[in-house]
Amino acid sequence: MFLAVDTKDLEERNIKEVDFVIVTGDAYVDSPSFGTAIIGHTLERFGYSVAVISQPEWKDCEDFRRFGKPRLGFLINSGNMDSMVNHYTVNKKRRKKDAYTAGGATDKRPDRAVIVYSNLARSAYKDVPIIIGGIEASLRRFSHYDYWEDKVRKSILIDSGADLLLYGMGERSIIELAQALESGIAITDLTYIKGSVFKTRFPEMVYEAERLPSFSEVVADKVKFAKSFVIQEENADPYRGKPLMEEYEKGWYVVQNPPTEPLNTLELDDVYEMQFENKPHPMYKEEIAAAIETQFSITSNRGCFGSCSFCALTFHQGRIVSGRSTESMVREATKMTQHPDFKGYIHDVGGPSANFMAQQCKNISKRGTCKDRKCLYPEPCKVLDVDHEKYMNTLRKLRNLDGVKKVFIRSGIRYDYLLQDKNSKKIIKEIADNHVSGQLRVAPEHIAENTLRYMRKPKKNIYERFVSEFNNASKDSNKKQYVVPYFMSSHPGTTLADAIELAIYFKKNGQNPEQVQDFYPTPSTLATCMFYTGLNPYTLETVYVPKSSKDKAMQRALLQFNKRENKALVYEALKLAKKEKIAGYLLKN
C-alpha cells in the first residue's frame, strides 16, 4: 500500500493525527530504491502513522500544513540526490531534466532543498521536532567545501535550523528516534542515538569525543580542513569510531555520534521485502525516469570497501559490506514476474559494486575496518575474503525463474576483486554468456599510474587483464560483446601528461569515448578535499589540481581528440606539454 499523500488517505485509514510527516524533494515512488519509501514503511511496520509531502511548494509554508501538526516530527530529505548535483552540471549550468521528477521537470524542488524545507517546516509549526536525513544531509553534517559557492559552508544542521540529523542508512536510527519521542523524551535530549548528529552548548556532556578543528579554523586554514577530513574518515566506522565534535560561534558545538551498525542479512531481507508497490504513486501522469530504471532491479548489497577517492560511500553507507540472502532476492524477483509491466528482464542485481556480497573479512565484525589501510588499494589485502559463489548462485536462480528472460548486471563490477577469485575465468565466462546485453560497463576511470594513485583505483594492467579475459570469453561464446569503460578527466592529481597518456591509449586501442565525465567536487569525498585544499590530507603534500576552465577543457578535449571541434585545443595542450611531435599521430583520422 502507498503511504498517505493527502487527507483523504488519512480519512480512509482512520488516522486523526499523523505521527511523522516525511518531506522529500523527489516525486514519491514506492520502491526500495527510494529512501522515503523505505523509512516510511519501516515506521509503519513499527506502528507509527506516516504521511508524505513530495516536492512541496516552497514559496510559503502552507503545503507543510497539509496534514496538520505532526505528533512526533517532520522527517526531511532532498531526495535520492544532493539537490545541487541534481540541478547543476559540473560546469555549474542548469540541467535540462530531473530524473526524479515526473516528466523530467526541473522546477519542482529548490536549491539546497533540506535547508529550505526545514525553514518552512519551522515556520509552519514552531515547536515540532525537525529531523533531517538522506544523502544531502548525511554528506554535509560537518563543515564542508561547497563547489557551487566555492567556499566552506557550515554543518547543514546549523544552516537548516533542524533539531537532529540522521546520517547513513537510517532504518535502525529512525526507530530508536521514534520510540524515544513516543516515550516523551525531548528532541533536545536525544544525544545518544548512533548514526545521529546533534547541537549542544555543553561540550562537557560528550564523553571521549575527539575534537575536530573548529569551523573558523577550517575556513581560515586549508591544512586544518585537510586534517579534519582525515579525522572524520578514520572515525567513519561503527565499531571503532569515536564521537566527533566541531565548534561554532556563539558557543555551539555540532556533535556526531558513531555510525550505526550495518544491517545484517536477515535485517536487509526484511527491509527489501516490505510491501512496496514498486511504482510511482498514481497521482503522477508522466513518467519518472529514475523509477523506470530501478523498477525491475534488485538491490543485493550495501556498503563498499573499494574506497575510491571521488566516492562518498565511505561517509554514507560505510566500508562494511552486507548482503541479502539468495532466497530473499528470488522472492523479490518472483514478485516482479507478476507485475503487469514486467517484460521478462531484470535490469540489475547489485549495489554500490555488483559483486560485493558479504563482509570483506572475518575481522570486520570483531573490530571494524582497518584504520590505516584499505581493502583493495594499493593492493588487495592478504586477509580479504574473495568468494563469488553466492552472487553467481543468485544470478543462476534468478535467470532460471519462470517468466525471466534475462538478468543483467548494470551497477558495475569491481574487476580487481573479481580477478582475485581463483575461479575468475569461469565467473567471467558465465557473466559473458548470460548477463550482458552487448555491453558491460566497468569503471577504470583512468590508466595513468599517477592519476590512479590519487583515485585509489587499480593499475592499468589489472583493467587490461579483465578486458582481455572478457573479450576471450565472449569470443568463445560467439558473442559480439564489449567492455564499455568509464573514464574521468580533471581529477585532482591528474596532470596534462596523464591526460595525454590516456589519449594515446585510446588512439592505440581504437577507442573513441563519446562521454567523458569531468570530476565533480561533491561534499565529503577525499577527492573534493584535495580539490579544495590542493593537499593530500594524509601527507599534506601538494597535489596538482586542474581547476581553471582552460586546464579542464584541454584535459577533456584530449580524451575526445577525435572530435573535430576539439582539435585546436588538443594541439594547444600538446604544445604546452612539448609533445607537438605526436600531434600528427593523435589527430590523424
Side-chain angles (χ1 to χ4, degrees), residues 504-531:
I504 293 171
Y505 182 85
F506 288 159
K507 182 73 173 183
K508 179 181 176 182
N509 290 279
Q511 292 177 264
N512 297 307
E514 289 299 316
Q515 291 186 331
V516 175
Q517 174 64 52
D518 284 349
F519 168 68
Y520 200 151
T522 56
S524 296
T525 71
L526 168 59
T528 298
C529 179
M530 291 190 288
F531 177 89

Side-chain angles (χ1 to χ4, degrees), residues 207-275:
Y207 297 103
E208 299 182 344
E210 186 159 352
R211 286 212 178 195
L212 300 172
S214 69
F215 173 69
S216 60
E217 287 177 319
V218 298
V219 168
D221 187 343
K222 290 182 178 180
V223 171
K224 292 287 181 66
F225 185 98
K227 288 182 176 180
S228 180
F229 175 86
V230 173
I231 296 170
Q232 291 174 52
E233 188 183 59
E234 288 176 346
N235 288 278
D237 183 275
Y239 298 103
R240 57 173 176 76
K242 296 179 180 178
L244 300 179
M245 184 184 304
E246 183 178 59
E247 184 179 1
Y248 285 81
E249 63 268 22
K250 298 181 180 179
W252 281 107
Y253 293 81
V254 169
V255 181
Q256 173 187 292
N257 286 314
T260 185
E261 291 87 353
L263 301 183
N264 61 34
T265 296
L266 183 62
E267 290 168 327
L268 265 185
D269 289 351
D270 197 39
V271 166
Y272 284 94
E273 290 191 69
M274 290 190 290
Q275 295 303 304

